Amino acid sequence: MLKVVKIRIYPTEKQEISLAKGFGCARWLWNRFLAQNNEIYKETGKGLSRFDYQKQLPQLKKEFEWLGEVYSQCLQVVCLNLSRAFINFFECRARYPRFKSKHGRQSITYPQNVKVEGDYIKVPKVGNIFGKIHREITGKLKTVTLSKNPDGKYYASLLFEDGLPVATPSTEGKAIGLDLGLTDFVVTSDSAKIKQPRWMKKRERNLKRKQQSLARKVKGSKNRDKARKLVAKTHSKVARCREDFLHKLSRKIVNENQVIVVEDLYVKGMVQNPNLSKAISQVGWGMFCTMLKYKAEATGKVYLEVSRFFPSSKTCHVCLNVVGSLPLDIRSWTCSSCKTRHDRDITAAINIRNEGLRILASGTGATAEGGSVSLKRGRKKSTVEHEPVNSEAHAILRSN
C-alpha cells in the first residue's frame, strides 16, 4: 500500500541555492510548455502529449545550458505532471492548468535515486539534506517531492510502498454520523459537540498589522520581502494549527468507529453566500473529509457520504416526519407529529447515520426521500427519479 510521510528539512545555504535553481527550472519549463500547448491548441484544435514535451528536452538543454544543472529526471516529471493536469481537466476532476509564479509555493519531484540514510535524505545534485524523520520509512521509496513554502520553510514528501496488503473494509462495529458546522465544527450522532477553535480569529489583529506594514513597503525592496515573509508566517501558523486539529480529530473518530457517515457538502456553492463565505473557507471541511476517507480506507473502516439533498436537519428521527421549512437561525424545533423536541444539529447527525446504514443495507445510493435529484456527470446534468423509502426500513435500521 502506498503511504506518504511529510517531514521538515533544513538545507544548508549551498543546498538552498541548488534547490532554488531546481525550482526555477521546473517552473520555467512548466510555463513554457503550457504556453506552447495553448498556442498550438488555438491553431490546430489539438494539444500536446507528454511525449511531445519530452522530445523537446534535449534541444532545450543545448539552447539553455542552465537546464543541465538540474537532475534530468526532475524535468521529465514536469512533462508528466503537465500532461496529467490536462487529463484531469478534461475529465472534470480539476480546473485548467495555470502558470506558476515564483512568489508562491515552490516544488520539485525526484522519481528515483533518492535515499534515506539516518536523519539525512540523499538527493542527486544537491547532496545530503538534514531532516526530522519522525516516522520509520519501511519499504520501497517511490518519489520524493521537495518544496519550499512562502514563509521560507522547506519540506520533503516521501512516497513509499510499504508492501502491506490493502485492508479489507468491514461494516461490523459501531456506526457514527457526523454533521459539520461553523459554531460546532462536528456534531456526532452520539450527541457530542466539538467546538471550532477559530484559528484565524485569534490572529486577525496580528495579521492586520503585518498586512498594513506590507502595503506601505516599496515594491521590489528588501523591506517588502521581509514584511511579506512575516505575513506568510502568520498564514502558515494558522494552516498548521488547522491541520494539526483536523489530523487529531479525524484519527480519534476513525479509531473509535467502524462506519463513518458524513454529508456530501457543496462547499463551492455555499461560499457564494457573502455572510458565511469567510467562515466556510477557513473551517476546512473538505480537508477533514479527505483525512477521514484515507484513514478509514487504510484501516479497513467504511467511509460513506450521504447526498446533500437529503433533509437531515428537517427530518424527525423518531417518526420520520419532515418539516416544510427550517431557517438557519432556528437551532431547535418540535415535531408536529410526535411532539419530540429536537436539537437541529444532533438530529441531523442521527439522520445522516441512519441514512448511511440504510444505503449500506440496500446497496443503492438513492436518498430516503422520493423526488428528483440532479446528479452531476461530467459537464452535463441529469435527473434521476426514484421512489421514497418507507418508514419500516428505517425502523429496522434503528433497532440494529
Side-chain angles (χ1 to χ4, degrees):
M1 186 168 60
L2 292 176
K3 288 188 176 181
V4 177
V5 174
K6 186 176 182 180
I7 64 174
R8 176 86 182 273
I9 58 175
Y10 302 86
T12 62
E13 185 176 351
K14 184 178 180 180
Q15 291 172 343
E16 288 183 1
I17 296 175
S18 299
L19 290 176
K21 292 180 180 179
F23 296 148
C25 290
R27 182 179 64 250
W28 179 86
L29 196 65
W30 172 284
N31 292 339
R32 180 184 178 90
F33 285 156
L34 179 57
Q36 187 181 65
N37 189 90
N38 293 343
E39 293 178 0
I40 293 178
Y41 184 81
K42 289 180 181 179
E43 295 175 358
T44 63
K46 296 181 179 180
L48 298 176
S49 66
R50 166 190 171 185
F51 303 102
D52 294 329
Y53 302 139
Q54 293 176 340
K55 286 188 295 185
Q56 303 180 47
L57 291 178
Q59 182 60 33
L60 289 175
K61 287 183 179 180
K62 294 179 181 179
E63 185 177 353
F64 306 97
E65 296 182 357
W66 40 268
L67 284 176
E69 299 179 10
V70 184
Y71 186 51
S72 61
Q73 294 298 317
C74 296
L75 304 181
Q76 299 281 348
V77 173
V78 174
C79 304
L80 174 63
N81 291 342
L82 182 57
S83 63
R84 173 53 58 184
F86 275 106
I87 292 174
N88 291 337
F89 168 72
F90 287 115
E91 293 182 357
C92 302
R93 290 196 299 268
R95 57 184 175 184
Y96 193 82
R98 297 184 299 173
F99 291 98
K100 295 184 181 295
S101 170
K102 66 178 181 179
H103 300 294
R105 177 180 177 273
Q106 308 296 313
S107 65
I108 188 171
T109 301
Y110 293 81
Q112 60 184 12
N113 294 333
V114 180
K115 298 180 181 179
V116 178
E117 300 176 349
D119 293 332
Y120 290 86
I121 302 176
K122 188 176 181 181
V123 182
K125 291 195 174 184
V126 178
N128 294 334
I129 305 177
F130 175 75
K132 290 187 177 180
I133 304 178
H134 56 282
R135 295 189 181 182
E136 185 180 1
I137 309 298
T138 57
K140 182 181 179 182
L141 194 63
K142 307 288 285 185
T143 63
V144 175
T145 300
L146 305 183
S147 60
K148 179 185 178 183
N149 286 353
D151 60 352
K153 295 179 180 179
Y154 291 83
Y155 295 90
S157 297
L158 311 175
L159 174 66
F160 61 96
E161 176 69 51
D162 59 3
L164 300 177
V166 179
T168 304
S170 173
T171 58
E172 297 297 327
K174 181 183 177 183
I176 190 172
L178 304 178
D179 180 60
L180 304 180
L182 295 177
T183 303
D184 297 311
F185 179 76
V186 171
V187 178
T188 70
S189 55
D190 299 332
S191 302
K193 294 186 177 183
I194 301 172
K195 293 290 184 180
Q196 183 195 157
R198 299 187 183 277
W199 309 275
M200 181 61 78
K201 188 174 183 179
K202 297 177 182 178
R203 297 172 176 83
E204 277 185 339
R205 293 185 62 187
N206 182 25
L207 181 61
K208 178 181 178 181
R209 290 195 300 267
K210 292 179 179 179
Q211 287 178 329
Q212 289 174 340
S213 176
L214 174 63
R216 290 192 291 265
K217 298 296 186 292
V218 179
K219 290 186 178 181
S221 64
K222 291 186 177 180
N223 286 335
R224 182 179 177 85
D225 188 55
K226 293 179 183 178
R228 181 192 59 78
K229 287 185 178 180
L230 292 177
V231 173
K233 286 182 179 180
T234 304
H235 282 293
S236 177
K237 178 66 175 178
V238 173
R240 285 185 285 113
C241 290
R242 181 192 302 113
E243 189 176 0
D244 179 72
F245 169 79
L246 297 180
H247 269 300
K248 291 178 179 177
L249 179 59
S250 60
R251 173 52 62 192
K252 183 177 184 295
I253 292 175
V254 171
N255 288 346
E256 296 177 353
N257 302 276
Q258 185 65 29
V259 179
I260 303 165
V261 189
V262 299
E263 189 176 8
D264 176 26
L265 296 175
Y266 183 44
V267 180
K268 186 177 180 180
M270 295 172 69
V271 295
Q272 301 300 322
N273 186 336
N275 298 324
L276 300 176
S277 59
K278 182 179 179 181
I280 293 174
S281 300
Q282 296 173 0
V283 73
W285 288 334
M287 183 184 296
F288 178 66
C289 292
T290 300
M291 291 179 181
L292 283 176
K293 184 177 181 180
Y294 81 75
K295 290 176 182 178
E297 292 176 350
T299 53
K301 308 295 179 71
V302 176
Y303 172 84
L304 186 64
E305 291 186 352
V306 172
S307 171
R308 66 184 68 131
F309 301 104
F310 176 66
S312 58
S313 299
K314 299 188 294 183
T315 303
C316 173
H317 65 271
V318 178
C319 65
L320 302 182
N321 177 48
V322 181
V323 299
S325 177
L326 194 65
L328 285 175
D329 58 338
I330 300 178
R331 308 314 302 173
S332 60
W333 56 281
T334 302
C335 178
S336 59
S337 178
C338 64
K339 308 303 180 182
T340 304
R341 186 70 177 175
H342 295 294
D343 180 285
R344 179 194 182 108
D345 298 327
I346 296 177
T347 300
I350 294 174
N351 286 327
I352 289 173
R353 181 199 61 189
N354 293 341
E355 175 69 359
L357 292 176
R358 188 200 63 79
I359 293 175
L360 288 175
S362 63
T364 65
T367 183
E369 298 295 328
S372 301
V373 176
S374 297
L375 300 178
K376 186 176 181 182
R377 296 178 179 176
R379 295 184 178 276
K380 298 180 180 180
K381 288 187 177 180
S382 59
T383 302
V384 177
E385 296 287 342
H386 52 85
E387 296 296 328
V389 179
N390 57 32
S391 59
E392 295 180 1
H394 277 274
I396 294 173
L397 289 172
R398 289 198 302 271
S399 63
N400 291 336

